């Protein structure tokens, strides 16, 4: 249902990006490069996929993506605002049309009552604004990483297909 | 054969890294984040895996990894020297003990007589030097990306297991 027969989700995203003459860069924490790998699996993907940053350590989020250290302290690394800053940071850092940021708790450890294992925030930024989505996924580490990759690609596909300037919601 | 029963290759690498109190960062081109994703698939991997950079576009290699633009011009993005500079660049950029760089031609296009599809250079750098390995892989894009990921992880495992300062070969 992404478009033509046998087209994969990353393939469908690349078709839309190339039609729209837009590029994308990724900033991943919990998925550790899986979204970049999926985007890079498509032949010819280098036309629209510029690259990405896997920011496992908080220092990488701060130093390379420009995430505010005080915001990580205040809201935690797994939060809507950090996902937004990751998306905006990687978009600017790689001079891409779109940036995708994802941060979550893949487990098995690291979960709390307020932020359980499987909580994932995804953000997509363009030059106008940033949209976000909260996921609560079940399963083991492998399942959470795989499901959050698929969910983030689905969110990206919807967002690119809409082809409208993004509008940041007031929170 | 990596160590204890049922241990995966990335799992075995993390056990060694943690025993040696060393950390790693990755710089990937042709594998597009697959090596980072494999390293990040291991529970507790954030102790030794700091993160990585997926440098699909040459501008990302130059701007984020500090690869010399003249060297890309001279030797090509798929070359031993660029793999070395990617490994050294990401090691320094993320303040890791070890850096892994990989650049290759996953195809289906982009191959030449001298540099056919399936040619991949892997480099591993520490503070002392940098070791490299040339791969020539067969198969379609998916197979080349998957095989180069496995081969790079195998090379990393051998290198970490040796636990010796790396020595750059004179070329």
């Amino acid at each position: 249902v992404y478009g033509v027969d046998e087209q994969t989700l990353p393939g469908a995203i690349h078709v839309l990006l190339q039609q729209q003459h837009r590029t994308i860069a990724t900033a991943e924490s919990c998925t550790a490069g899986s979204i970049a790998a999926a985007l890079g699996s498509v032949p010819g993907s280098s036309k629209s996929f510029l690259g990405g940053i896997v920011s496992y350590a908080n220092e990488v989020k701060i130093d390379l993506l420009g995430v505010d250290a005080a915001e990580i302290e205040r809201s935690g690394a797994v939060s809507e605002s950090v996902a937004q800053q990751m998306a905006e940071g990687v978009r600017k850092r790689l001079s891409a049309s779109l940036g995708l940021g994802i941060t979550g708790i893949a487990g098995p450890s690291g979960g709390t009552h307020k932020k359980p294992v499987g909580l994932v925030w995804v953000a997509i930024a363009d030059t106008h604004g940033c949209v976000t989505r909260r996921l609560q996924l079940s399963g083991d580490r492998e399942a959470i990483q795989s499901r959050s990759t698929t969910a983030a690609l689905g969110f990206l596909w919807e967002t690119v297909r809409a082809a409208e300037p993004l509008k940041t919601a007031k929170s």
Side-chain angles (χ1 to χ4, degrees), chain A:
Chain A
V1 294
Y2 303 127
V4 298
D5 287 348
E6 295 183 42
Q7 202 176 46
T8 62
L9 184 43
I13 292 166
H14 279 298
V15 167
L16 290 169
L17 287 173
Q18 287 175 29
Q19 284 171 350
Q20 298 171 13
H21 305 285
R22 293 205 284 180
T23 56
I24 184 147
T26 54
E28 300 177 68
S29 190
C30 58
T31 48
S34 297
I35 296 171
L39 291 172
S41 70
V42 181
S45 52
S46 56
K47 287 190 196 84
S48 39
F49 176 52
L50 301 184
I53 292 172
V54 179
S55 56
Y56 238 50
N58 281 343
E59 291 70 29
V60 179
K61 294 186 184 74
I62 297 162
D63 295 344
L64 268 81
L65 292 170
V67 173
D68 182 15
E71 187 57 38
I72 295 178
E73 187 69 32
R74 191 161 45 232
S75 307
V78 177
S79 58
E80 182 175 26
S81 53
V82 168
Q84 280 180 322
Q85 291 190 14
M86 289 171 67
E88 286 161 359
V90 82
R91 192 193 72 72
K92 285 182 195 160
R93 202 74 179 74
L94 275 73
S95 305
S97 316
L98 293 163
L100 182 147
I102 182 165
T103 178
I105 304 158
S109 63
T112 63
H113 182 68
K114 281 182 103 174
K115 294 188 179 182
V117 168
L119 171 67
V120 177
W121 278 102
V122 188
I124 300 169
D126 68 4
T127 51
H128 302 278
C130 188
V131 291
T132 60
R133 187 166 289 181
R134 185 187 187 281
L135 310 170
Q136 183 61 57
L137 302 164
S138 58
D140 61 10
R141 184 178 179 87
E142 192 183 337
I144 290 169
Q145 289 183 321
S146 154
R147 286 169 187 165
S148 53
T149 297
T150 306
L153 288 170
F155 182 31
L156 178 60
W157 175 72
E158 286 173 41
T159 307
V160 173
R161 194 179 52 145
E164 284 166 1
L166 300 180
K167 211 169 158 181
T168 308
K170 298 274 178 280
S171 60

